[in-house]
Amino acid sequence: MSQPAQVTARPNVRVVLFGLMIAMMLAMLDNMIVSTALPRIVFEFGGADHFTWVVTAYVLGTTVSTPIWGKLGDLYGRKTVFLTSVVVFLVGSALCGMSGSGFFGGADTGMIELIAFRAVQGLGAGGLMVGVMAIIGDLVPPRERGRYQGMIAGIMAIAMVAGPLVGGFITDNLSWRWAFYVNLPLGGVALLVLATTMHLPKYRTEHKIDWLGAALLSIGITAIVLVTTWGGNEYDWASPQILGLAALALVALVAFGLVERRAPEPILPLSLFSNRNFALISVIGFLLGFAMFGAMNFLPLYQQTVQGASATNSGLLLLPLMFGMLVVSLVVGRAITKTGRYRAFPIAGGVVMTAGMGLLTQLDLGTSKTVSSLYMVVLGVGMGFLMQTSMLIAQNSVEQKDLGAASGAATFFRSIGGSFGVSLFGAIFANRLADSAAGPAFAGGGGGEGGAMNLDKLKELSGPVREVVLGGLSDAISHVFFWAVFFTVAVPVLAWFIKEVPLRAANDAPPADATPEDQAEAALGRSPVA
């Protein structure tokens, strides 16, 4: 019987990895670079009441498209689908840079154009992130995959620090449009490298896209992202808008689950969740995103206000966190490749990350930058244990034909967790701050637009007043980390129940805990397409 095509590009894996790392860097860097350029964009276009949509549109496009790109890769071949996502991202970047230039309309429509084109860019970015993980899964067997995914985790860590620095340089020395145009040469290099060197195995599959499932999933995800973005900010949590969106999300996702049970080629096969490891790691990914992205948003705020760092320097002050994550990701990846064992790492990661969050609850007015840096190293080490190990476990829990869907689901749950984390911790921060002695300064009359104090004016406050305000801020921020502990502590508990399934030495082998029927199907093989 013919067997699935073996990877023919192993000698080129390092060259392909170079292209993949550029693509991942683009997806991770973009949002952070643009966030730095936003004040300049608002100054030029106006529309300050809509500027948050510049970020939301990108996040929405990325989150909605991630599971869809993953499934399309399973159906039509990873290479074609991934290169398409790169092209979509680059087209979106070029259009964003042209917003308000007169090509589509004047400056009066610039903000609307930018928001629309950011959604296009986000659609492409969703394919970049899930595609990189799935392609590594195609190129490298699970036993050897850890070290390569560790490198990708390192790129993600570097991008999180480099983003604000690059964005600040571009904003200060070039036009804000280059925050988007900078993607074009880098993306062009990635496109050329991958188009000419990447050769992936293909399989004959029935191409029947689950359009109804894709539509319902998109509606449900969009409603969830809007709830987490608008709740407590644009609208009250109990407002008709938020309750209506929550009801829409519930109805759409329930309908999605019913459709997926009958679809021949479901966008997100629900059978994946019957695998204990996949189900557990999906919840762990959600909690990781919840705690990491939610709480990490408050570290720069603490550094810029309480510790008095500039926006650029606050990016540099995150280096200890990223250093811890980078080093541990690389070490763990190599250890998994050498030993083939991984169960201990998510358990250790959950414990260390919880310890890091616990240390961050001690942040106050007197905490030095050295001490806070040590706290961040501990948190980074914990995240380093978890970042790519969770993806590896998810991929090792499914058959190769479902690799894209599994990678998309793992990325999706982490992203959704981040959205919920940002929203919930933002509400916790705001409520704690309002109840503090600094609350009146932020409730109104503080000189900020819409009753919010302009934090740039903190230095102008008199000593005693400034100390009260900064004390309230540091207390509210440490309170956020206190609540984050309640979520991170669940990670090692869930990880304890992960089953140590041997990592497959070849991509065409079924999971070790697969059913006898799945193993029999894999033994028959699937006809490869050249």
Side-chain angles (χ1 to χ4, degrees):
M1 293 289 179
S2 60
Q3 295 295 322
Q6 297 298 315
V7 176
T8 59
R10 286 299 300 280
N12 296 325
V13 68
R14 292 186 183 275
V15 178
V16 173
L17 183 66
F18 172 72
L20 294 176
M21 290 170 75
I22 295 177
M24 179 61 81
M25 177 73 80
L26 288 175
M28 293 296 298
L29 268 178
D30 191 79
N31 221 16
M32 297 173 185
I33 291 177
V34 173
S35 295
T36 309
L38 265 180
R40 189 70 57 85
I41 295 172
V42 172
F43 177 78
E44 181 172 328
F45 289 156
D49 51 338
H50 299 303
F51 87 95
T52 56
W53 270 101
V54 177
V55 176
T56 302
Y58 182 86
V59 173
L60 199 54
T62 302
T63 308
V64 166
S65 65
T66 293
I68 297 174
W69 282 115
K71 185 59 181 180
L72 289 177
D74 288 338
L75 290 176
Y76 293 102
R78 217 86 62 200
K79 179 176 180 178
T80 301
V81 171
F82 182 70
L83 294 181
T84 300
S85 72
V86 174
V87 171
V88 171
F89 180 81
L90 295 181
V91 169
S93 298
L95 292 174
C96 286
M98 297 165 64
S99 299
S101 63
F103 190 86
F104 303 100
D108 55 331
T109 62
M111 186 62 76
I112 301 300
E113 292 172 20
L114 182 59
I115 291 170
F117 296 146
R118 282 286 282 168
V120 174
Q121 197 185 25
L123 290 175
L128 295 185
M129 289 189 282
V130 67
V132 167
M133 297 303 178
I135 287 170
I136 290 177
D138 269 343
L139 286 174
V140 186
R143 178 62 186 266
E144 301 176 31
R145 203 174 291 162
R147 58 175 175 166
Y148 293 102
Q149 291 185 340
M151 294 178 190
I152 296 297
I155 287 295
M156 295 169 68
I158 292 171
M160 294 173 79
V161 174
L165 298 177
V166 175
F169 177 83
I170 289 175
T171 303
D172 291 338
N173 299 280
L174 301 168
S175 166
W176 62 263
R177 299 180 188 277
W178 279 97
F180 301 103
Y181 290 151
V182 72
N183 295 328
L184 302 182
L186 292 174
V189 171
L191 202 59
L192 179 63
V193 169
L194 296 174
T196 56
T197 65
M198 185 168 65
H199 307 287
L200 302 176
K202 298 179 182 179
Y203 303 98
R204 288 195 180 99
T205 58
E206 294 183 8
H207 296 165
K208 188 172 183 180
I209 300 178
D210 177 19
W211 292 113
L212 180 57
L216 289 170
L217 181 62
S218 298
I219 292 170
I221 294 172
T222 300
I224 289 175
V225 172
L226 291 179
V227 166
T228 58
T229 303
W230 285 347
N233 296 312
E234 296 286 330
Y235 303 103
D236 219 36
W237 282 106
S239 66
Q241 292 89 342
I242 297 301
L243 294 178
L245 284 170
L248 176 62
L250 180 62
V251 171
L253 293 178
V254 169
F256 170 74
L258 296 175
V259 168
E260 295 304 273
R261 296 179 64 180
R262 299 173 178 270
E265 286 290 345
I267 289 291
L268 183 60
L270 300 182
S271 60
L272 296 179
F273 297 96
S274 63
N275 182 291
R276 185 175 74 181
N277 277 9
F278 186 85
L280 286 171
I281 213 64
S282 295
V283 178
I284 289 173
F286 177 88
L287 293 173
L288 174 62
F290 195 102
M292 181 176 70
F293 293 110
M296 274 181 57
N297 273 315
F298 293 91
L299 284 173
L301 178 62
Y302 175 80
Q303 292 163 338
Q304 292 179 39
T305 55
V306 180
Q307 294 185 329
S310 66
T312 300
N313 287 339
S314 68
L316 293 175
L317 289 173
L318 285 175
L319 280 174
L321 186 147
M322 301 309 165
F323 178 77
M325 188 168 77
L326 171 60
V327 171
V328 173
S329 293
L330 294 173
V331 171
V332 167
R334 290 189 175 275
I336 291 175
T337 297
K338 183 177 181 179
T339 65
R341 305 185 72 85
Y342 55 81
R343 180 175 175 267
F345 296 121
I347 297 174
V351 171
V352 177
M353 187 168 69
T354 301
M357 289 293 186
L359 290 172
L360 290 172
T361 64
Q362 304 303 306
L363 294 177
D364 56 28
L365 275 176
T367 305
S368 68
K369 293 179 181 177
T370 300
V371 172
S372 62
S373 294
L374 291 175
Y375 293 169
M376 285 189 280
V377 169
V378 177
L379 180 62
V381 167
M383 292 192 298
F385 277 114
L386 285 160
M387 284 294 288
Q388 297 311 308
T389 308
S390 58
M391 178 64 72
L392 177 66
I393 295 172
Q395 291 181 341
N396 192 57
S397 302
V398 303
E399 293 184 70
Q400 196 70 15
K401 66 183 179 66
D402 291 323
L403 188 67
S407 302
T411 306
F412 164 73
F413 281 111
R414 190 179 300 176
S415 177
I416 287 293
S419 294
F420 272 96
V422 169
S423 177
L424 179 61
F425 292 141
I428 290 172
F429 171 79
N431 289 333
R432 183 73 172 191
L433 189 62
D435 293 337
S436 72
F442 291 85
E449 183 179 351
M453 184 176 214
N454 185 347
L455 297 180
D456 291 336
K457 295 184 178 180
L458 280 175
K459 293 181 180 179
E460 300 176 9
L461 298 176
S462 61
V465 175
R466 183 169 179 269
E467 187 170 340
V468 168
V469 172
L470 292 181
L473 277 169
S474 63
D475 175 70
I477 291 170
S478 64
H479 195 64
V480 168
F481 293 115
F482 171 78
W483 280 100
V485 169
F486 287 91
F487 295 93
T488 57
V489 75
V491 172
V493 175
L494 292 171
W496 183 265
F497 295 97
I498 290 176
K499 181 181 178 183
E500 184 89 72
V501 178
L503 296 173
R504 303 193 297 277
N507 277 335
D508 56 316
D513 60 345
T515 64
E517 293 79 7
D518 290 336
Q519 293 181 3
E521 180 184 349
L524 293 175
R526 297 190 300 275
S527 300
V529 178

